[in-house]
Amino acid sequence: MFSARPRDNAVRHMVFSGCGDAIEKTISCAEITKSKFKDLHQITKLSVLSVQEFWEPKESELDRLQVTREIPTVSILLCKDPLDSNELGYQAPTNVSTSSKKSFKRKKMYSKPKNNQGEEHSLGDEINKE
């Protein structure tokens, strides 16, 4: 893993790879790493993995079934050193200031209770009726 300490510069690059349903998590992990460690160069490669599956019939008169599935794959190289900017899939380091980071806060989901007619009312309405 990359280190924030200057003396631990032994690791200069990292590769994230994923296929199928794991592609989203692979991209998320790379993006999180890029946000934590600045000035990383990136090369992204997309490809397809062909998988052949063979199914043996349960009955002897049926033929063997062969199915070929194509599974999308992604590989993301993150590197502290400059990479070839002409390489397909290259992304230069981005300089995002800390002030432009979005802050996500949960909204409070309080709603006023509704009476039988679907109209909103407050606690004071209940006290006034009694």
Side-chain angles (χ1 to χ4, degrees):
M1 188 87 184
F2 298 121
S3 176
R5 291 175 274 168
R7 62 187 168 141
D8 294 338
N9 281 331
V11 177
R12 304 292 301 165
H13 68 276
M14 180 180 289
V15 177
F16 291 90
S17 296
C19 64
D21 293 337
I23 286 179
E24 289 180 36
K25 283 201 186 236
T26 304
I27 294 169
S28 294
C29 289
E31 291 298 324
I32 290 169
T33 302
K34 283 172 45 179
S35 70
K36 298 222 181 261
F37 301 96
K38 305 300 179 202
D39 299 326
L40 294 177
H41 297 264
Q42 175 179 335
I43 293 181
T44 304
K45 296 288 183 185
L46 301 173
S47 60
V48 175
L49 176 66
S50 293
V51 177
Q52 289 185 344
E53 295 177 341
F54 298 95
W55 301 80
E56 298 296 331
K58 290 185 177 182
E59 299 177 14
S60 59
E61 64 269 2
L62 297 174
D63 293 333
R64 182 179 185 191
L65 181 64
Q66 176 183 343
V67 176
T68 302
R69 294 186 302 134
E70 292 186 341
I71 303 171
T73 64
V74 64
S75 294
I76 303 171
L77 168 66
L78 298 179
C79 188
K80 293 180 179 180
D81 303 319
L83 299 170
D84 182 8
S85 61
N86 295 322
E87 180 81 27
L88 190 63
Y90 174 78
Q91 290 182 20
T94 56
N95 295 328
V96 179
S97 66
T98 55
S99 62
S100 67
K101 286 185 181 179
K102 292 182 180 177
S103 175
F104 295 101
K105 294 182 180 178
R106 289 186 175 204
K107 292 182 180 178
K108 293 182 180 179
M109 301 301 289
Y110 297 114
S111 62
K112 292 183 178 179
K114 295 185 177 186
N115 61 18
N116 292 341
Q117 289 80 28
E119 298 171 358
E120 291 184 358
H121 60 91
S122 64
L123 184 60
D125 294 341
E126 289 293 317
I127 294 172
N128 292 338
K129 287 182 182 177
E130 293 177 358

PDB file of all heavy atoms in Angstrom, residues 3-38:
ATOM      1  N   SER A   3       2.221   4.756   1.242  1.00  0.00           N
ATOM      2  CA  SER A   3       2.392   5.241   2.600  1.00  0.00           C
ATOM      3  C   SER A   3       2.530   6.752   2.593  1.00  0.00           C
ATOM      4  O   SER A   3       3.102   7.321   1.676  1.00  0.00           O
ATOM      5  CB  SER A   3       3.627   4.610   3.237  1.00  0.00           C
ATOM      6  OG  SER A   3       3.835   5.162   4.510  1.00  0.00           O
ATOM      7  N   ALA A   4       1.997   7.378   3.606  1.00  0.00           N
ATOM      8  CA  ALA A   4       2.107   8.829   3.731  1.00  0.00           C
ATOM      9  C   ALA A   4       3.473   9.227   4.278  1.00  0.00           C
ATOM     10  O   ALA A   4       3.843  10.380   4.240  1.00  0.00           O
ATOM     11  CB  ALA A   4       1.005   9.352   4.641  1.00  0.00           C
ATOM     12  N   ARG A   5       4.227   8.266   4.802  1.00  0.00           N
ATOM     13  CA  ARG A   5       5.547   8.550   5.359  1.00  0.00           C
ATOM     14  C   ARG A   5       6.613   8.486   4.261  1.00  0.00           C
ATOM     15  O   ARG A   5       6.663   7.524   3.506  1.00  0.00           O
ATOM     16  CB  ARG A   5       5.867   7.546   6.455  1.00  0.00           C
ATOM     17  CG  ARG A   5       4.972   7.755   7.684  1.00  0.00           C
ATOM     18  CD  ARG A   5       5.223   6.704   8.693  1.00  0.00           C
ATOM     19  NE  ARG A   5       4.357   5.580   8.289  1.00  0.00           N
ATOM     20  CZ  ARG A   5       4.443   4.373   8.795  1.00  0.00           C
ATOM     21  NH1 ARG A   5       5.357   4.081   9.680  1.00  0.00           N
ATOM     22  NH2 ARG A   5       3.627   3.430   8.397  1.00  0.00           N
ATOM     23  N   PRO A   6       7.478   9.503   4.147  1.00  0.00           N
ATOM     24  CA  PRO A   6       8.477   9.552   3.085  1.00  0.00           C
ATOM     25  C   PRO A   6       9.455   8.386   3.106  1.00  0.00           C
ATOM     26  O   PRO A   6       9.933   7.968   2.076  1.00  0.00           O
ATOM     27  CB  PRO A   6       9.216  10.867   3.329  1.00  0.00           C
ATOM     28  CG  PRO A   6       8.428  11.615   4.330  1.00  0.00           C
ATOM     29  CD  PRO A   6       7.505  10.672   4.995  1.00  0.00           C
ATOM     30  N   ARG A   7       9.758   7.812   4.247  1.00  0.00           N
ATOM     31  CA  ARG A   7      10.748   6.739   4.306  1.00  0.00           C
ATOM     32  C   ARG A   7      10.209   5.417   3.763  1.00  0.00           C
ATOM     33  O   ARG A   7      10.961   4.506   3.499  1.00  0.00           O
ATOM     34  CB  ARG A   7      11.234   6.562   5.732  1.00  0.00           C
ATOM     35  CG  ARG A   7      10.139   6.174   6.681  1.00  0.00           C
ATOM     36  CD  ARG A   7      10.615   6.162   8.111  1.00  0.00           C
ATOM     37  NE  ARG A   7       9.447   6.073   8.957  1.00  0.00           N
ATOM     38  CZ  ARG A   7       9.378   5.356  10.039  1.00  0.00           C
ATOM     39  NH1 ARG A   7      10.414   4.679  10.430  1.00  0.00           N
ATOM     40  NH2 ARG A   7       8.286   5.327  10.744  1.00  0.00           N
ATOM     41  N   ASP A   8       8.904   5.290   3.606  1.00  0.00           N
ATOM     42  CA  ASP A   8       8.297   4.053   3.126  1.00  0.00           C
ATOM     43  C   ASP A   8       7.922   4.162   1.649  1.00  0.00           C
ATOM     44  O   ASP A   8       6.809   3.852   1.274  1.00  0.00           O
ATOM     45  CB  ASP A   8       7.040   3.725   3.944  1.00  0.00           C
ATOM     46  CG  ASP A   8       7.381   3.399   5.383  1.00  0.00           C
ATOM     47  OD1 ASP A   8       8.531   3.017   5.646  1.00  0.00           O
ATOM     48  OD2 ASP A   8       6.492   3.535   6.228  1.00  0.00           O
ATOM     49  N   ASN A   9       8.838   4.577   0.815  1.00  0.00           N
ATOM     50  CA  ASN A   9       8.543   4.744  -0.609  1.00  0.00           C
ATOM     51  C   ASN A   9       8.886   3.500  -1.417  1.00  0.00           C
ATOM     52  O   ASN A   9       9.151   3.582  -2.604  1.00  0.00           O
ATOM     53  CB  ASN A   9       9.285   5.962  -1.175  1.00  0.00           C
ATOM     54  CG  ASN A   9       8.569   7.243  -0.818  1.00  0.00           C
ATOM     55  OD1 ASN A   9       7.355   7.247  -0.658  1.00  0.00           O
ATOM     56  ND2 ASN A   9       9.315   8.319  -0.687  1.00  0.00           N
ATOM     57  N   ALA A  10       8.902   2.326  -0.784  1.00  0.00           N
ATOM     58  CA  ALA A  10       9.237   1.103  -1.495  1.00  0.00           C
ATOM     59  C   ALA A  10       8.164   0.757  -2.529  1.00  0.00           C
ATOM     60  O   ALA A  10       8.467   0.277  -3.608  1.00  0.00           O
ATOM     61  CB  ALA A  10       9.410  -0.040  -0.513  1.00  0.00           C
ATOM     62  N   VAL A  11       6.913   1.002  -2.226  1.00  0.00           N
ATOM     63  CA  VAL A  11       5.820   0.697  -3.148  1.00  0.00           C
ATOM     64  C   VAL A  11       5.510   1.943  -3.955  1.00  0.00           C
ATOM     65  O   VAL A  11       5.104   2.964  -3.416  1.00  0.00           O
ATOM     66  CB  VAL A  11       4.563   0.225  -2.375  1.00  0.00           C
ATOM     67  CG1 VAL A  11       3.419  -0.027  -3.329  1.00  0.00           C
ATOM     68  CG2 VAL A  11       4.873  -1.017  -1.570  1.00  0.00           C
ATOM     69  N   ARG A  12       5.719   1.854  -5.259  1.00  0.00           N
ATOM     70  CA  ARG A  12       5.515   3.008  -6.135  1.00  0.00           C
ATOM     71  C   ARG A  12       4.257   2.868  -6.978  1.00  0.00           C
ATOM     72  O   ARG A  12       3.829   3.826  -7.593  1.00  0.00           O
ATOM     73  CB  ARG A  12       6.721   3.188  -7.064  1.00  0.00           C
ATOM     74  CG  ARG A  12       8.066   3.325  -6.376  1.00  0.00           C
ATOM     75  CD  ARG A  12       8.258   4.576  -5.595  1.00  0.00           C
ATOM     76  NE  ARG A  12       8.121   5.752  -6.425  1.00  0.00           N
ATOM     77  CZ  ARG A  12       7.957   6.970  -5.959  1.00  0.00           C
ATOM     78  NH1 ARG A  12       7.909   7.170  -4.657  1.00  0.00           N
ATOM     79  NH2 ARG A  12       7.834   7.989  -6.758  1.00  0.00           N
ATOM     80  N   HIS A  13       3.682   1.657  -7.057  1.00  0.00           N
ATOM     81  CA  HIS A  13       2.479   1.473  -7.864  1.00  0.00           C
ATOM     82  C   HIS A  13       1.571   0.407  -7.242  1.00  0.00           C
ATOM     83  O   HIS A  13       2.010  -0.367  -6.391  1.00  0.00           O
ATOM     84  CB  HIS A  13       2.846   1.083  -9.306  1.00  0.00           C
ATOM     85  CG  HIS A  13       3.458  -0.284  -9.409  1.00  0.00           C
ATOM     86  ND1 HIS A  13       4.790  -0.506  -9.205  1.00  0.00           N
ATOM     87  CD2 HIS A  13       2.906  -1.486  -9.684  1.00  0.00           C
ATOM     88  CE1 HIS A  13       5.046  -1.790  -9.357  1.00  0.00           C
ATOM     89  NE2 HIS A  13       3.918  -2.400  -9.639  1.00  0.00           N
ATOM     90  N   MET A  14       0.336   0.410  -7.696  1.00  0.00           N
ATOM     91  CA  MET A  14      -0.665  -0.530  -7.194  1.00  0.00           C
ATOM     92  C   MET A  14      -1.656  -0.817  -8.326  1.00  0.00           C
ATOM     93  O   MET A  14      -1.997   0.087  -9.091  1.00  0.00           O
ATOM     94  CB  MET A  14      -1.389   0.091  -5.996  1.00  0.00           C
ATOM     95  CG  MET A  14      -2.446  -0.780  -5.388  1.00  0.00           C
ATOM     96  SD  MET A  14      -3.235   0.015  -3.984  1.00  0.00           S
ATOM     97  CE  MET A  14      -1.923  -0.062  -2.803  1.00  0.00           C
ATOM     98  N   VAL A  15      -2.111  -2.064  -8.435  1.00  0.00           N
ATOM     99  CA  VAL A  15      -3.069  -2.439  -9.469  1.00  0.00           C
ATOM    100  C   VAL A  15      -4.334  -2.971  -8.802  1.00  0.00           C
ATOM    101  O   VAL A  15      -4.268  -3.838  -7.929  1.00  0.00           O
ATOM    102  CB  VAL A  15      -2.487  -3.516 -10.420  1.00  0.00           C
ATOM    103  CG1 VAL A  15      -3.529  -3.948 -11.433  1.00  0.00           C
ATOM    104  CG2 VAL A  15      -1.245  -2.998 -11.118  1.00  0.00           C
ATOM    105  N   PHE A  16      -5.469  -2.434  -9.209  1.00  0.00           N
ATOM    106  CA  PHE A  16      -6.775  -2.932  -8.780  1.00  0.00           C
ATOM    107  C   PHE A  16      -7.389  -3.652  -9.975  1.00  0.00           C
ATOM    108  O   PHE A  16      -7.440  -3.091 -11.070  1.00  0.00           O
ATOM    109  CB  PHE A  16      -7.697  -1.777  -8.362  1.00  0.00           C
ATOM    110  CG  PHE A  16      -7.280  -1.095  -7.095  1.00  0.00           C
ATOM    111  CD1 PHE A  16      -6.423  -0.008  -7.129  1.00  0.00           C
ATOM    112  CD2 PHE A  16      -7.738  -1.537  -5.867  1.00  0.00           C
ATOM    113  CE1 PHE A  16      -6.027   0.624  -5.969  1.00  0.00           C
ATOM    114  CE2 PHE A  16      -7.347  -0.907  -4.701  1.00  0.00           C
ATOM    115  CZ  PHE A  16      -6.499   0.177  -4.749  1.00  0.00           C
ATOM    116  N   SER A  17      -7.857  -4.884  -9.774  1.00  0.00           N
ATOM    117  CA  SER A  17      -8.480  -5.647 -10.859  1.00  0.00           C
ATOM    118  C   SER A  17      -9.785  -6.245 -10.362  1.00  0.00           C
ATOM    119  O   SER A  17      -9.883  -6.666  -9.211  1.00  0.00           O
ATOM    120  CB  SER A  17      -7.568  -6.783 -11.327  1.00  0.00           C
ATOM    121  OG  SER A  17      -6.387  -6.270 -11.873  1.00  0.00           O
ATOM    122  N   GLY A  18     -10.758  -6.289 -11.253  1.00  0.00           N
ATOM    123  CA  GLY A  18     -12.037  -6.898 -10.908  1.00  0.00           C
ATOM    124  C   GLY A  18     -12.778  -7.302 -12.161  1.00  0.00           C
ATOM    125  O   GLY A  18     -12.515  -6.788 -13.255  1.00  0.00           O
ATOM    126  N   CYS A  19     -13.694  -8.247 -12.010  1.00  0.00           N
ATOM    127  CA  CYS A  19     -14.501  -8.673 -13.157  1.00  0.00           C
ATOM    128  C   CYS A  19     -15.945  -8.885 -12.732  1.00  0.00           C
ATOM    129  O   CYS A  19     -16.242  -9.099 -11.564  1.00  0.00           O
ATOM    130  CB  CYS A  19     -13.918  -9.934 -13.786  1.00  0.00           C
ATOM    131  SG  CYS A  19     -13.943 -11.375 -12.738  1.00  0.00           S
ATOM    132  N   GLY A  20     -16.820  -8.786 -13.706  1.00  0.00           N
ATOM    133  CA  GLY A  20     -18.244  -9.015 -13.459  1.00  0.00           C
ATOM    134  C   GLY A  20     -18.827  -8.026 -12.476  1.00  0.00           C
ATOM    135  O   GLY A  20     -18.653  -6.811 -12.606  1.00  0.00           O
ATOM    136  N   ASP A  21     -19.491  -8.564 -11.458  1.00  0.00           N
ATOM    137  CA  ASP A  21     -20.152  -7.725 -10.458  1.00  0.00           C
ATOM    138  C   ASP A  21     -19.169  -6.945  -9.577  1.00  0.00           C
ATOM    139  O   ASP A  21     -19.565  -6.017  -8.888  1.00  0.00           O
ATOM    140  CB  ASP A  21     -21.042  -8.582  -9.556  1.00  0.00           C
ATOM    141  CG  ASP A  21     -22.222  -9.178 -10.316  1.00  0.00           C
ATOM    142  OD1 ASP A  21     -22.600  -8.610 -11.367  1.00  0.00           O
ATOM    143  OD2 ASP A  21     -22.764 -10.203  -9.864  1.00  0.00           O
ATOM    144  N   ALA A  22     -17.892  -7.314  -9.608  1.00  0.00           N
ATOM    145  CA  ALA A  22     -16.903  -6.652  -8.758  1.00  0.00           C
ATOM    146  C   ALA A  22     -16.324  -5.387  -9.390  1.00  0.00           C
ATOM    147  O   ALA A  22     -15.512  -4.707  -8.759  1.00  0.00           O
ATOM    148  CB  ALA A  22     -15.768  -7.625  -8.432  1.00  0.00           C
ATOM    149  N   ILE A  23     -16.725  -5.056 -10.606  1.00  0.00           N
ATOM    150  CA  ILE A  23     -16.161  -3.885 -11.292  1.00  0.00           C
ATOM    151  C   ILE A  23     -16.450  -2.603 -10.525  1.00  0.00           C
ATOM    152  O   ILE A  23     -15.567  -1.755 -10.356  1.00  0.00           O
ATOM    153  CB  ILE A  23     -16.679  -3.796 -12.746  1.00  0.00           C
ATOM    154  CG1 ILE A  23     -15.990  -4.871 -13.585  1.00  0.00           C
ATOM    155  CG2 ILE A  23     -16.451  -2.423 -13.342  1.00  0.00           C
ATOM    156  CD1 ILE A  23     -16.421  -4.905 -15.017  1.00  0.00           C
ATOM    157  N   GLU A  24     -17.661  -2.437 -10.034  1.00  0.00           N
ATOM    158  CA  GLU A  24     -18.012  -1.213  -9.299  1.00  0.00           C
ATOM    159  C   GLU A  24     -17.146  -1.046  -8.052  1.00  0.00           C
ATOM    160  O   GLU A  24     -16.661   0.052  -7.767  1.00  0.00           O
ATOM    161  CB  GLU A  24     -19.484  -1.221  -8.913  1.00  0.00           C
ATOM    162  CG  GLU A  24     -20.416  -1.035 -10.093  1.00  0.00           C
ATOM    163  CD  GLU A  24     -21.876  -1.044  -9.675  1.00  0.00           C
ATOM    164  OE1 GLU A  24     -22.184  -0.524  -8.581  1.00  0.00           O
ATOM    165  OE2 GLU A  24     -22.683  -1.557 -10.436  1.00  0.00           O
ATOM    166  N   LYS A  25     -16.940  -2.124  -7.298  1.00  0.00           N
ATOM    167  CA  LYS A  25     -16.115  -2.044  -6.095  1.00  0.00           C
ATOM    168  C   LYS A  25     -14.659  -1.783  -6.449  1.00  0.00           C
ATOM    169  O   LYS A  25     -13.955  -1.075  -5.732  1.00  0.00           O
ATOM    170  CB  LYS A  25     -16.236  -3.323  -5.284  1.00  0.00           C
ATOM    171  CG  LYS A  25     -17.520  -3.404  -4.517  1.00  0.00           C
ATOM    172  CD  LYS A  25     -17.387  -4.371  -3.387  1.00  0.00           C
ATOM    173  CE  LYS A  25     -18.725  -4.505  -2.757  1.00  0.00           C
ATOM    174  NZ  LYS A  25     -18.869  -4.245  -1.427  1.00  0.00           N
ATOM    175  N   THR A  26     -14.200  -2.346  -7.554  1.00  0.00           N
ATOM    176  CA  THR A  26     -12.823  -2.118  -7.996  1.00  0.00           C
ATOM    177  C   THR A  26     -12.595  -0.639  -8.273  1.00  0.00           C
ATOM    178  O   THR A  26     -11.605  -0.051  -7.822  1.00  0.00           O
ATOM    179  CB  THR A  26     -12.532  -2.949  -9.259  1.00  0.00           C
ATOM    180  OG1 THR A  26     -12.794  -4.328  -8.990  1.00  0.00           O
ATOM    181  CG2 THR A  26     -11.102  -2.775  -9.719  1.00  0.00           C
ATOM    182  N   ILE A  27     -13.522  -0.030  -8.989  1.00  0.00           N
ATOM    183  CA  ILE A  27     -13.420   1.395  -9.302  1.00  0.00           C
ATOM    184  C   ILE A  27     -13.509   2.227  -8.025  1.00  0.00           C
ATOM    185  O   ILE A  27     -12.741   3.175  -7.839  1.00  0.00           O
ATOM    186  CB  ILE A  27     -14.501   1.800 -10.328  1.00  0.00           C
ATOM    187  CG1 ILE A  27     -14.233   1.102 -11.661  1.00  0.00           C
ATOM    188  CG2 ILE A  27     -14.561   3.314 -10.499  1.00  0.00           C
ATOM    189  CD1 ILE A  27     -15.363   1.215 -12.659  1.00  0.00           C
ATOM    190  N   SER A  28     -14.412   1.866  -7.131  1.00  0.00           N
ATOM    191  CA  SER A  28     -14.552   2.601  -5.865  1.00  0.00           C
ATOM    192  C   SER A  28     -13.266   2.543  -5.047  1.00  0.00           C
ATOM    193  O   SER A  28     -12.832   3.559  -4.488  1.00  0.00           O
ATOM    194  CB  SER A  28     -15.705   2.036  -5.041  1.00  0.00           C
ATOM    195  OG  SER A  28     -16.926   2.252  -5.689  1.00  0.00           O
ATOM    196  N   CYS A  29     -12.647   1.370  -4.969  1.00  0.00           N
ATOM    197  CA  CYS A  29     -11.397   1.231  -4.216  1.00  0.00           C
ATOM    198  C   CYS A  29     -10.297   2.099  -4.817  1.00  0.00           C
ATOM    199  O   CYS A  29      -9.548   2.754  -4.084  1.00  0.00           O
ATOM    200  CB  CYS A  29     -10.955  -0.230  -4.184  1.00  0.00           C
ATOM    201  SG  CYS A  29     -11.988  -1.278  -3.154  1.00  0.00           S
ATOM    202  N   ALA A  30     -10.213   2.128  -6.139  1.00  0.00           N
ATOM    203  CA  ALA A  30      -9.201   2.959  -6.799  1.00  0.00           C
ATOM    204  C   ALA A  30      -9.466   4.439  -6.536  1.00  0.00           C
ATOM    205  O   ALA A  30      -8.537   5.205  -6.266  1.00  0.00           O
ATOM    206  CB  ALA A  30      -9.179   2.673  -8.291  1.00  0.00           C
ATOM    207  N   GLU A  31     -10.722   4.853  -6.599  1.00  0.00           N
ATOM    208  CA  GLU A  31     -11.062   6.258  -6.365  1.00  0.00           C
ATOM    209  C   GLU A  31     -10.788   6.670  -4.917  1.00  0.00           C
ATOM    210  O   GLU A  31     -10.321   7.775  -4.652  1.00  0.00           O
ATOM    211  CB  GLU A  31     -12.520   6.531  -6.726  1.00  0.00           C
ATOM    212  CG  GLU A  31     -12.809   6.453  -8.213  1.00  0.00           C
ATOM    213  CD  GLU A  31     -12.043   7.475  -9.027  1.00  0.00           C
ATOM    214  OE1 GLU A  31     -11.841   8.623  -8.552  1.00  0.00           O
ATOM    215  OE2 GLU A  31     -11.615   7.135 -10.141  1.00  0.00           O
ATOM    216  N   ILE A  32     -11.065   5.790  -3.976  1.00  0.00           N
ATOM    217  CA  ILE A  32     -10.776   6.081  -2.565  1.00  0.00           C
ATOM    218  C   ILE A  32      -9.266   6.220  -2.361  1.00  0.00           C
ATOM    219  O   ILE A  32      -8.802   7.133  -1.683  1.00  0.00           O
ATOM    220  CB  ILE A  32     -11.371   4.990  -1.653  1.00  0.00           C
ATOM    221  CG1 ILE A  32     -12.893   5.095  -1.644  1.00  0.00           C
ATOM    222  CG2 ILE A  32     -10.801   5.091  -0.234  1.00  0.00           C
ATOM    223  CD1 ILE A  32     -13.592   3.921  -1.004  1.00  0.00           C
ATOM    224  N   THR A  33      -8.513   5.331  -2.985  1.00  0.00           N
ATOM    225  CA  THR A  33      -7.054   5.402  -2.881  1.00  0.00           C
ATOM    226  C   THR A  33      -6.540   6.705  -3.475  1.00  0.00           C
ATOM    227  O   THR A  33      -5.671   7.364  -2.892  1.00  0.00           O
ATOM    228  CB  THR A  33      -6.407   4.203  -3.594  1.00  0.00           C
ATOM    229  OG1 THR A  33      -6.908   3.000  -3.004  1.00  0.00           O
ATOM    230  CG2 THR A  33      -4.899   4.236  -3.461  1.00  0.00           C
ATOM    231  N   LYS A  34      -7.097   7.117  -4.622  1.00  0.00           N
ATOM    232  CA  LYS A  34      -6.677   8.369  -5.249  1.00  0.00           C
ATOM    233  C   LYS A  34      -7.003   9.569  -4.365  1.00  0.00           C
ATOM    234  O   LYS A  34      -6.271  10.555  -4.356  1.00  0.00           O
ATOM    235  CB  LYS A  34      -7.355   8.534  -6.608  1.00  0.00           C
ATOM    236  CG  LYS A  34      -6.738   7.680  -7.684  1.00  0.00           C
ATOM    237  CD  LYS A  34      -7.502   7.672  -8.983  1.00  0.00           C
ATOM    238  CE  LYS A  34      -7.961   9.000  -9.472  1.00  0.00           C
ATOM    239  NZ  LYS A  34      -8.665   8.932 -10.754  1.00  0.00           N
ATOM    240  N   SER A  35      -8.097   9.494  -3.618  1.00  0.00           N
ATOM    241  CA  SER A  35      -8.451  10.624  -2.754  1.00  0.00           C
ATOM    242  C   SER A  35      -7.551  10.694  -1.523  1.00  0.00           C
ATOM    243  O   SER A  35      -7.306  11.763  -0.988  1.00  0.00           O
ATOM    244  CB  SER A  35      -9.914  10.539  -2.337  1.00  0.00           C
ATOM    245  OG  SER A  35     -10.121   9.477  -1.435  1.00  0.00           O
ATOM    246  N   LYS A  36      -7.048   9.556  -1.073  1.00  0.00           N
ATOM    247  CA  LYS A  36      -6.189   9.537   0.113  1.00  0.00           C
ATOM    248  C   LYS A  36      -4.728   9.826  -0.209  1.00  0.00           C
ATOM    249  O   LYS A  36      -4.008  10.373   0.605  1.00  0.00           O
ATOM    250  CB  LYS A  36      -6.298   8.180   0.803  1.00  0.00           C
ATOM    251  CG  LYS A  36      -7.700   7.880   1.290  1.00  0.00           C
ATOM    252  CD  LYS A  36      -7.668   7.271   2.649  1.00  0.00           C
ATOM    253  CE  LYS A  36      -9.060   6.952   3.105  1.00  0.00           C
ATOM    254  NZ  LYS A  36      -9.610   7.937   3.975  1.00  0.00           N
ATOM    255  N   PHE A  37      -4.274   9.417  -1.387  1.00  0.00           N
ATOM    256  CA  PHE A  37      -2.886   9.608  -1.798  1.00  0.00           C
ATOM    257  C   PHE A  37      -2.880  10.465  -3.054  1.00  0.00           C
ATOM    258  O   PHE A  37      -3.308  10.032  -4.118  1.00  0.00           O
ATOM    259  CB  PHE A  37      -2.213   8.257  -2.066  1.00  0.00           C
ATOM    260  CG  PHE A  37      -2.226   7.362  -0.862  1.00  0.00           C
ATOM    261  CD1 PHE A  37      -3.214   6.408  -0.720  1.00  0.00           C
ATOM    262  CD2 PHE A  37      -1.271   7.488   0.125  1.00  0.00           C
ATOM    263  CE1 PHE A  37      -3.246   5.578   0.390  1.00  0.00           C
ATOM    264  CE2 PHE A  37      -1.289   6.674   1.234  1.00  0.00           C
ATOM    265  CZ  PHE A  37      -2.281   5.715   1.373  1.00  0.00           C
ATOM    266  N   LYS A  38      -2.394  11.681  -2.940  1.00  0.00           N
ATOM    267  CA  LYS A  38      -2.441  12.657  -4.033  1.00  0.00           C
ATOM    268  C   LYS A  38      -1.364  12.381  -5.082  1.00  0.00           C
ATOM    269  O   LYS A  38      -0.422  11.642  -4.847  1.00  0.00           O
ATOM    270  CB  LYS A  38      -2.277  14.075  -3.484  1.00  0.00           C
ATOM    271  CG  LYS A  38      -3.287  14.429  -2.411  1.00  0.00           C
ATOM    272  CD  LYS A  38      -4.691  14.335  -2.942  1.00  0.00           C
ATOM    273  CE  LYS A  38      -5.689  14.661  -1.849  1.00  0.00           C
ATOM    274  NZ  LYS A  38      -6.985  14.126  -2.087  1.00  0.00           N
TER     275      LYS A  38
END
